[in-house]
Amino acid sequence: MTKIVDHDQRRLLIAEATLRIIRQMGMKGATVRNIAQESGLSLGALRHYFSTQDELLNFSMRLVKERATVRINELVSIDMPLFQKVLRILLELLPTDDNKLAEMEVWFAFTAHYRSSGTTYDAQHDGVQDLVERLLHSLKESGLLRPELDYTLETERLYAFIDGIALHALLDTKRVDYERIVNVVTYHMKSICTEESFLLER
Amino acid sequence: MTKIVDHDQRRLLIAEATLRIIRQMGMKGATVRNIAQESGLSLGALRHYFSTQDELLNFSMRLVKERATVRINELVSIDMPLFQKVLRILLELLPTDDNKLAEMEVWFAFTAHYRSSGTTYDAQHDGVQDLVERLLHSLKESGLLRPELDYTLETERLYAFIDGIALHALLDTKRVDYERIVNVVTYHMKSICTEESFLLER
């Protein structure tokens, strides 16, 4: 048993080293050699834990996604008014601090890497579309969504808007700062929710 | 004179070959060797026209931008109701056909390449933010924008929304097809314009 735990922990440490490397050097730095060095392992030892580079990269991307999921589930479990909760969860998806900016950097690097390598790419891999759908659904079920709206198009619009803001926050970090992100996301959510949703909650 | 024209034309042909390579193989295929082959030139001849790979890539990206500008200026000069014109221009920015999808692919590959290479990156290089601002400004000046809206936040929102849709159309081409793009962009623009803007125009 001990050995299995060690094996998993070592894989986690290697994935974390991979994320640090991508953050610092971009995808082009994510060579087996660099990752081995950052992990303090020999090339042979690294290959013991991950037999191919693709396997290692996929594992690291999964780590990014899992971390985001943990943060979001924590928010889901907190007792607070629904409009505020949805807003907080959407902001959790966006690069509002250095840590999340680094994760977004990894997402971007991975996505570009997989596109250019011709590997089959799963556009839903990051789970954002699914999450946006569930958030709008809960607002609708609670009667907070303005009734005159087209629910399907609102889902598409919110999903595009969130990923667009994320992209801009990544590419233009100085201009699209924390305050701007909060303002525009709040503005959008207020525009699609009834006034009662956010007025009563204050 | 003839020689100068030839030189420029040859540079254009090489840039077009570069775009074809990126489209087919992604950024990792954009090696000097592959581009020389695609252009039907020797490595030495290619270096005569572009002394570094970065110089060639920047020139190619500029070509993508110039082509989009030409298409948009054509639309601007056509006589049609403003709401329709703004909608057509926004759709021109989005990958609604194979040609524009290839350009978006190039944009994405370039952006990722420059991020990971650590070169200074100009987030406004593609001119989309500037164009979105000008479109909303013209709608506002003509009284087509709903007066109760926050103009600054609407600009930020539209810019994020357009780039988000573009990203989804690139990454999830099958789902985010022409019809879906037209529907959601029209929906958004109707939501921020007065009813007169689009009802009178039909």
Side-chain angles (χ1 to χ4, degrees):
Chain A
M1 271 310 280
T2 318
K3 217 175 167 194
I4 292 172
V5 172
D6 282 354
H7 187 85
D8 288 351
Q9 281 185 337
R10 187 54 67 92
R11 280 167 66 96
L12 195 63
L13 288 175
I14 296 168
E16 281 168 352
T18 306
L19 298 184
R20 282 197 301 277
I21 288 281
I22 294 174
R23 211 174 296 169
Q24 288 157 23
M25 311 173 65
M27 207 63 191
K28 76 171 189 334
T31 61
V32 189
R33 191 170 299 272
N34 284 343
I35 293 167
Q37 198 181 5
E38 178 73 22
S39 317
L41 292 173
S42 68
L43 282 178
L46 181 64
R47 289 215 181 86
H48 172 69
Y49 294 102
F50 294 100
S51 51
T52 67
Q53 196 202 22
D54 262 6
E55 198 190 317
L56 170 55
L57 294 179
N58 281 322
F59 184 84
S60 306
M61 187 66 218
R62 219 156 52 226
L63 183 64
V64 166
K65 191 184 166 182
E66 275 171 19
R67 282 180 181 169
T69 306
V70 167
R71 291 198 308 264
I72 287 162
N73 284 341
E74 273 170 17
L75 281 172
V76 168
S77 69
I78 297 177
D79 185 35
M80 67 178 133
L82 186 59
F83 181 84
Q84 297 298 336
K85 185 178 281 198
V86 169
L87 207 53
R88 293 258 317 255
I89 292 173
L90 288 173
L91 290 172
E92 199 54 51
L93 292 174
L94 293 165
T96 48
D97 60 37
D98 282 354
N99 182 36
K100 287 190 281 168
L101 198 61
E103 289 180 1
M104 173 82 197
E105 189 82 72
V106 170
W107 173 89
F108 192 73
F110 269 93
T111 305
H113 171 75
Y114 279 109
R115 282 200 78 71
S116 73
S117 72
T119 320
T120 311
Y121 173 79
D122 175 11
Q124 267 79 51
H125 75 98
D126 59 15
V128 174
Q129 188 185 358
D130 183 50
L131 183 61
V132 163
E133 273 174 16
R134 282 189 289 138
L135 293 176
L136 276 190
H137 186 74
S138 70
L139 287 172
K140 188 187 177 197
E141 290 296 297
S142 309
L144 301 191
L145 214 57
R146 296 195 184 193
E148 71 273 20
L149 301 178
D150 181 313
Y151 178 68
T152 308
L153 288 172
E154 285 300 341
T155 309
E156 198 73 48
R157 177 161 79 144
L158 180 58
Y159 177 37
F161 169 65
I162 290 295
D163 269 357
I165 284 284
L167 187 68
H168 293 165
L170 176 72
L171 300 181
D172 200 2
T173 312
K174 215 168 164 182
R175 197 185 71 80
V176 186
D177 59 7
Y178 178 75
E179 195 185 343
R180 195 178 287 262
I181 294 173
V182 171
N183 284 345
V184 70
V185 175
T186 307
Y187 181 77
H188 180 72
M189 292 314 290
K190 282 188 173 176
S191 80
I192 65 171
C193 287
T194 63
E195 283 199 11
E196 292 72 32
S197 329
F198 45 93
L199 290 183
L200 287 180
E201 287 184 3
R202 280 168 184 273
Chain B
M1 270 310 280
T2 317
K3 219 178 164 192
I4 292 172
V5 172
D6 282 355
H7 186 85
D8 286 353
Q9 281 185 336
R10 186 54 67 91
R11 280 167 67 95
L12 196 63
L13 287 175
I14 296 169
E16 281 167 351
T18 305
L19 297 185
R20 281 197 302 277
I21 288 282
I22 294 174
R23 212 175 294 169
Q24 288 158 22
M25 310 172 67
M27 207 64 190
K28 77 169 187 337
T31 61
V32 188
R33 192 170 298 273
N34 284 343
I35 293 167
Q37 198 181 6
E38 178 74 21
S39 317
L41 294 172
S42 68
L43 281 179
L46 181 66
R47 290 217 180 85
H48 173 68
Y49 295 102
F50 294 100
S51 52
T52 67
Q53 196 201 23
D54 262 6
E55 198 190 315
L56 170 56
L57 295 178
N58 280 321
F59 184 84
S60 307
M61 187 65 218
R62 220 155 55 226
L63 183 65
V64 166
K65 192 185 166 181
E66 276 170 18
R67 281 180 179 168
T69 306
V70 167
R71 291 197 309 263
I72 287 162
N73 285 340
E74 274 170 17
L75 282 173
V76 169
S77 68
I78 297 176
D79 185 35
M80 68 177 133
L82 186 60
F83 180 84
Q84 297 298 335
K85 185 177 279 195
V86 168
L87 207 53
R88 293 255 322 251
I89 293 172
L90 288 173
L91 290 172
E92 198 57 50
L93 292 173
L94 293 165
T96 48
D97 60 36
D98 283 353
N99 182 36
K100 288 191 281 168
L101 198 61
E103 289 179 1
M104 174 82 197
E105 189 81 72
V106 170
W107 173 89
F108 192 73
F110 270 92
T111 305
H113 172 75
Y114 280 110
R115 283 201 77 73
S116 72
S117 72
T119 319
T120 311
Y121 173 80
D122 175 11
Q124 266 78 52
H125 75 99
D126 59 14
V128 174
Q129 188 185 0
D130 183 49
L131 183 61
V132 163
E133 272 174 17
R134 283 187 290 139
L135 293 176
L136 276 191
H137 186 75
S138 70
L139 287 173
K140 189 187 176 197
E141 290 296 297
S142 310
L144 302 190
L145 213 59
R146 297 195 182 191
E148 71 274 20
L149 301 177
D150 181 313
Y151 178 68
T152 308
L153 288 172
E154 286 299 341
T155 309
E156 199 72 47
R157 177 161 78 143
L158 179 58
Y159 178 37
F161 168 64
I162 290 294
D163 269 357
I165 285 284
L167 188 69
H168 293 165
L170 176 72
L171 300 181
D172 201 3
T173 312
K174 214 167 162 185
R175 197 185 71 80
V176 186
D177 59 7
Y178 178 75
E179 195 186 342
R180 194 177 287 261
I181 294 173
V182 171
N183 285 346
V184 70
V185 174
T186 306
Y187 181 77
H188 180 72
M189 293 314 290
K190 282 188 172 177
S191 81
I192 64 171
C193 288
T194 62
E195 284 199 11
E196 292 72 30
S197 328
F198 45 94
L199 289 183
L200 287 179
E201 287 184 2
R202 281 169 184 270

